[in-house]
Amino acid sequence: MSAPSVLSNSSSSNAMDKTVGILGGRGGQLGRMLAASASLLNIDVVILDVGDYTPAKQIVVPRKPETSHVDGSFADPVKIRELASKVDVLTVEIEHVGVDVLEDIQSTLPLGVHPSPSTIRIIQDKLIQKKHLRAHGSPVSDFIQVSSSFLSIRNAVEQLGLPLMLKSRTLAYDGRGNFALHQLSQIDEALQALKDRPLYAEKWVPFVKEIAVMVVRSTNGEVVSYPAVETVHKNNICHLVFAPLRGCDPAAAERARQVAEDAVKTFEGAGIFGVEMFLLADGSIYLNEIAPRPHNSGHYTIEACETSQYENHLRAILSLPLGSTALKVPSAAMLNIIGASSDIDEITQYAKSTLSVKGASVHLYGKADCRKGRKMGHVTVVAPSDAELRYRLRPLLENLPGGSP
Ligand code: ATP
Ligand code: MG
Ligand code: MG
């Protein structure tokens, strides 16, 4: 009697029999964690980014010549086509990619491109994203397009008031692309700071907390969400995430999940989405922006949830059953390890110091160079209660490179 086919298949091929291509982005940590997750399922991964030993490529040694990595930029159409020729499905760790080439190649790939290029096209221009969300009934703050002129911005202030958030429509991250305008006299400074970038203006949201929900959408349109979390930013960079969201009406957390799920349902394609929102004092919620990829606010899911955001992204794009999004611990936090200077030893020392903290799991991203403001790693802490979580978190916050947030 011959062996069951499931065994004979798995001996030489990967467990899921499909190869995933990742269009690598700026930092590489999202691709790195996605690749680490794929390795648990024996899924072959091919990575396109610049260099041979990037954070993501460090994780995957190709198992055959056909799945060797690609050295090049996520912005280079030739390299994107080369990556596409090697894989069954292509996904991204950054939304600031050339969509035209992705649209061209998606029908040539057995499982296409996820998230869908049409989704990336909408999301990568924040003004178009906001118009899309508003048209589909998502709660968003008022906004208007502005041009890079004093008069246009003054007109926006007349309509939306002060303070006013000026935003670059494209290529924004970590708040680089935002200017908080508090008085009319700052308009020239704002124009200087956002020079040559396409802009829009957003009414200021007087939020009490920033919150986020990861949502995963399968190829058949099924949408499930992770618990709502609180995100704490410093200098526009996410520093801390607390899961689950506390300190507000539990109904607000459920509403946040609903807002996030409803928003993700309006987009095409499969995969994980990070939905950033604002919680106001009266419990109402505004949607800030959506990232069509794994997200910093979802790193905690690796240790704290039954299925991580990375594994669920892979499951979604490979049409595998989605995993449970439930928390498996009562309380969790994620702390970003952000460079304070070019001194990488400081990061290593800090990572070592986390090893003696109960419930802490440190992730270093394998970046060759450290810079002020660069995300170098993160620590997730899990605990049996919120009180114990705060106790475990305290030394991690006190010893942070460059001081506590
Ligand atoms: P990311 O790294 O999350 O992609 P980004 O550069 O795309 O960031 P936003 O998320 O739009 O920038 O804004 C960065 C931060 O600025 C938000 O997390 C929030 O703290 C603040 N912010 C953004 N929009 C508003 C607003 N309309 N009113 C008040 N604060 C805002
Ligand atoms: Mg953004
Ligand atoms: Mg943001």
Side-chain angles (χ1 to χ4, degrees):
M1 207 172 84
S2 62
S5 61
V6 64
L7 289 180
S8 50
N9 280 345
S10 62
S11 60
S12 61
S13 180
N14 69 44
M16 303 305 155
D17 218 17
K18 294 283 181 278
T19 301
V20 175
I22 304 176
L23 217 55
R26 251 177 342 259
Q29 66 265 21
L30 301 177
R32 179 180 173 96
M33 288 183 268
L34 195 57
S37 185
S39 73
L40 299 177
L41 292 169
N42 265 2
I43 294 169
D44 285 333
V45 167
V46 185
I47 295 146
L48 161 64
D49 58 11
V50 179
D52 292 331
Y53 303 102
T54 60
K57 287 175 183 167
Q58 291 165 22
I59 300 291
V60 191
V61 177
R63 289 194 285 181
K64 45 193 185 213
E66 307 90 270
T67 58
S68 59
H69 297 309
V70 184
D71 183 3
S73 162
F74 63 85
D76 182 343
V78 174
K79 295 292 180 180
I80 295 173
R81 285 179 201 280
E82 184 183 337
L83 175 68
S85 71
K86 294 169 171 245
V87 302
D88 295 292
V89 60
L90 202 152
T91 190
V92 301
E93 68 158 358
I94 186 167
E95 58 275 29
H96 307 305
V97 292
V99 178
D100 292 346
V101 58
L102 295 181
E103 264 167 359
D104 275 1
I105 58 172
Q106 66 176 331
S107 60
T108 68
L109 286 157
L111 299 176
V113 177
H114 292 289
S116 151
S118 62
T119 296
I120 300 174
R121 192 185 284 288
I122 294 167
I123 285 180
Q124 69 180 194
D125 182 327
K126 284 184 172 184
L127 178 63
I128 294 176
Q129 181 189 151
K130 279 267 147 81
K131 285 183 176 169
H132 171 96
L133 289 168
R134 186 167 63 186
H136 287 86
S138 292
V140 293
S141 181
D142 280 349
F143 59 88
I144 46 172
Q145 185 171 353
V146 296
S147 62
S148 296
S149 76
F150 184 92
L151 283 181
S152 177
I153 293 173
R154 199 184 61 190
N155 175 49
V157 171
E158 275 161 17
Q159 293 193 46
L160 303 175
L162 285 172
L164 181 72
M165 191 59 106
L166 285 172
K167 294 193 178 187
S168 171
R169 291 171 57 177
T170 56
L171 303 176
Y173 67 98
D174 289 346
R176 301 177 209 195
N178 284 1
F179 191 100
L181 193 78
H182 292 273
Q183 346 171 346
L184 286 175
S185 61
Q186 287 177 296
I187 291 180
D188 285 337
E189 190 191 336
L191 284 171
Q192 195 57 30
L194 300 174
K195 209 167 36 194
D196 304 328
R197 302 182 75 167
L199 303 179
Y200 78 106
E202 238 176 62
K203 190 175 168 70
W204 194 263
V205 183
F207 58 83
V208 290
K209 280 184 197 296
E210 292 196 66
I211 60 179
V213 171
M214 298 305 306
V215 179
V216 60
R217 182 189 163 106
S218 68
T219 42
N220 64 16
E222 178 194 0
V223 161
V224 289
S225 60
Y226 284 82
V229 300
E230 177 176 358
T231 58
V232 181
H233 292 76
K234 185 192 171 197
N235 299 331
N236 286 308
I237 303 179
C238 174
H239 266 257
L240 274 163
V241 169
F242 290 99
L245 175 64
R246 303 274 197 218
C248 63
D249 176 6
E254 285 316 304
R255 272 202 307 282
R257 283 177 89 155
Q258 198 58 54
V259 166
E261 287 184 20
D262 289 348
V264 169
K265 280 181 193 157
T266 69
F267 292 102
E268 290 175 353
I272 192 102
F273 294 75
V275 184
E276 299 177 12
M277 287 165 282
F278 300 123
L279 177 66
L280 277 73
D282 66 359
S284 57
I285 287 159
Y286 281 88
L287 203 163
N288 176 27
E289 62 165 346
I290 299 185
R293 54 168 167 76
H295 192 256
N296 200 164
S297 69
H299 291 350
Y300 80 96
T301 60
I302 297 175
E303 284 85 11
C305 292
E306 289 181 348
T307 315
S308 79
Q309 63 165 341
Y310 300 99
E311 181 167 330
N312 254 340
H313 181 64
L314 292 165
R315 291 184 186 211
I317 67 176
L318 292 171
S319 298
L320 298 166
L322 297 182
S324 161
T325 55
L327 275 167
K328 59 183 180 189
V329 293
S331 190
M334 189 280 323
L335 172 63
N336 271 335
I337 305 175
I338 296 178
S341 67
S342 60
D343 183 4
I344 202 158
D345 291 341
E346 217 181 6
I347 303 296
T348 316
Q349 286 311 318
Y350 178 75
K352 279 188 189 154
S353 78
T354 69
L355 300 179
S356 52
V357 176
K358 199 169 174 194
S361 304
V362 67
H363 297 245
L364 289 177
Y365 299 154
K367 297 185 182 180
D369 305 305
C370 186
R371 281 193 304 273
K372 187 171 166 47
R374 190 170 203 207
K375 290 174 182 159
M376 301 300 290
H378 74 265
V379 194
T380 300
V381 194
V382 298
S385 67
D386 289 350
E388 178 67 18
L389 185 86
R390 281 196 297 276
Y391 176 76
R392 294 178 182 182
L393 203 50
R394 194 172 308 135
L396 297 172
L397 289 169
E398 283 168 356
N399 296 330
L400 269 179
S404 58

